[in-house]
Amino acid sequence: TVSHKKEDDGGVMGELHEFEDLVETSMHQQSGSKCVEIIIAQGGAERIKKLYDRLKTARGVECVNCFVL
């Protein structure tokens, strides 16, 4: 999951497009001036870690949580 400011939606979306080979699906929810993205990704651990790291540093991101199944 990723929470970010509404006006900085492009930073997260840009990263998701760059890692589209990993992203199975994503869901976007807006609440006032903030947004939450729920992302389901599948792939190698190293590449998933890279996506996680990039999302943490994307413009406007406030919080990133990763759950491994």
Side-chain angles (χ1 to χ4, degrees):
T1 58
V2 179
S3 65
H4 60 90
K5 297 174 186 173
K6 179 181 171 185
E7 64 270 11
D8 290 323
D9 199 31
V12 171
M13 290 296 118
E15 295 301 340
L16 293 181
H17 284 292
E18 185 168 332
F19 289 87
E20 66 187 1
D21 59 308
L22 298 178
V23 177
E24 297 283 324
T25 190
S26 64
M27 183 179 82
H28 174 91
Q29 180 64 44
Q30 181 179 325
S31 179
S33 65
K34 298 191 180 203
C35 297
V36 173
E37 308 288 337
I38 299 172
I39 304 157
I40 309 284
Q42 183 172 339
E46 187 175 306
R47 188 117 166 90
I48 296 283
K49 172 84 165 84
K50 191 171 187 176
L51 169 60
Y52 174 77
D53 290 341
R54 294 281 291 275
L55 287 170
K56 286 193 323 185
T57 60
R59 184 183 68 245
V61 168
E62 298 171 345
C63 181
V64 178
N65 293 301
C66 182
F67 302 93
V68 178
L69 300 177

